[in-house]
Amino acid sequence: MAVIVDLAVQGAQMFLVLLLAPLLTGFIRKVKARLLRRQGPPMVQPYLDLVRLLNKEVVLADNASWLFRVTPYLIFAATWVAAALVPTFARGLMFSWAADLIAIAALLGSVRFFLALAGMDVGTSFGGIGSSREMMIASLAEPAMLMIIFTLALIARSTQLSTISTVMLSAHVGLRISLGLVLVGLIIVAIAENARIPVDNPATHLELTMVHEAMVLEYSGRHLAVIELAASLKLLLYLSLISCIFAPWGLVEAGAEPAAYLFGVAAFVAKLAVGGALLALFETVIAKMRVFRVANFLSVALMLGLLGALLMFISRSL
């Protein structure tokens, strides 16, 4: 019976992230519109867009290969698994042993690899531009992410998210400069990985500014629907990751009472709302930067990760 309950809670987490991902995207769009004194679309608009795309016929280029057809489902599956592994409302669940930061980084790296291949598959100029820019961003974002993971592993002595969140709640961690540096670095990586302002603008289709949108321009119908859903899942993943590591309050232990799980879900939704509102505010007050300055922006995250790791080594030797 206990195994069935654990499986049910793990399954609930998987479907919770899938259910909340489009709502988070709609919430951010709504807050941005309100900050600009506009009415904005309803928060359920991403769900309506997904239904509309699923009901449309798929249009494929004549020279599209099997990879172009399979890639949307690979991207969606890998992103969903990665998002479901991050502890959202409970830790120590049945598959918490797989909730490893390195495994999640590897899953997201494979998503980027297949998306870049799909962007170049049909041979359009936009796809090639988007893929080359995506790889340029990845060449700095992935080392920065690895340095952030390395610093967190030095503090928690583990790369498992359940262990890290438990250590962060303990009294002996306290306020550390390394944690502040890692937090800023992770936020920069999250902005770049999710193609948000100032790195990219998900609401534009201008040739000079497109990165993510350039790679998916040739997709339509259900293929575009699963890619859009995967993008929403990725944004929710990074917000969940930041809240799990740096704000683990409200995470309940596995095997708790149903009321405790409901409290954990409410705390998770509140954290997403705060994170989404802060992201909308940040995107409202800052401008899109030029593509060739993205490398400087991501270099800051890499340097912060390196500095955080060095400070950890120095503090241990004292």
Side-chain angles (χ1 to χ4, degrees), residues 95-214:
F95 296 124
S96 62
W97 55 271
D100 191 281
L101 278 172
I102 297 176
I104 291 172
L107 281 171
L108 295 178
S110 64
V111 167
R112 180 184 298 105
F113 172 72
F114 282 106
L115 189 59
L117 283 182
M120 295 185 292
D121 186 77
V122 293
T124 61
S125 57
F126 282 118
I129 290 172
S131 298
S132 64
R133 289 175 178 174
E134 182 74 6
M135 288 298 104
M136 183 270 291
I137 292 172
S139 65
L140 288 170
E142 289 185 353
M145 187 67 186
L146 289 177
M147 287 309 304
I148 290 167
I149 294 172
F150 184 55
T151 307
L152 290 172
L154 286 175
I155 297 172
R157 299 179 184 276
S158 174
T159 53
Q160 280 196 342
L161 284 170
S162 292
T163 304
I164 292 174
S165 63
T166 304
V167 171
M168 290 298 175
L169 281 174
S170 60
H172 76 275
V173 174
L175 292 175
R176 294 172 183 252
I177 297 176
S178 299
L179 283 177
L181 298 177
V182 167
L183 173 60
V184 176
L186 184 56
I187 291 173
I188 293 175
V189 171
I191 289 172
E193 292 278 14
N194 287 282
R196 308 297 305 194
I197 297 173
V199 175
D200 191 9
N201 187 352
T204 184
H205 286 84
L206 296 175
E207 179 186 356
L208 294 177
T209 60
M210 281 194 301
V211 180
H212 175 78
E213 293 297 320

Side-chain angles (χ1 to χ4, degrees), residues 48-122:
L48 303 177
D49 292 339
L50 290 175
V51 172
R52 175 176 54 82
L53 289 172
L54 288 172
N55 290 326
K56 282 194 171 184
E57 184 181 356
V58 173
V59 179
L60 290 171
D62 293 335
N63 57 343
S65 70
W66 62 270
L67 182 66
F68 188 82
R69 298 179 178 86
V70 171
T71 294
Y73 304 107
L74 290 175
I75 291 171
F76 172 71
T79 310
W80 189 16
V81 169
L85 287 177
V86 179
T88 55
F89 63 89
R91 59 172 176 264
L93 297 180
M94 178 169 278
F95 296 124
S96 62
W97 55 271
D100 191 281
L101 278 172
I102 297 176
I104 291 172
L107 281 171
L108 295 178
S110 64
V111 167
R112 180 184 298 105
F113 172 72
F114 282 106
L115 189 59
L117 283 182
M120 295 185 292
D121 186 77
V122 293

Side-chain angles (χ1 to χ4, degrees), residues 217-235:
L217 268 183
E218 296 298 321
Y219 280 109
S220 61
R222 62 179 181 276
H223 291 163
L224 185 58
V226 293
I227 287 176
E228 293 291 336
L229 184 53
S232 297
L233 276 169
K234 192 174 180 180
L235 179 60

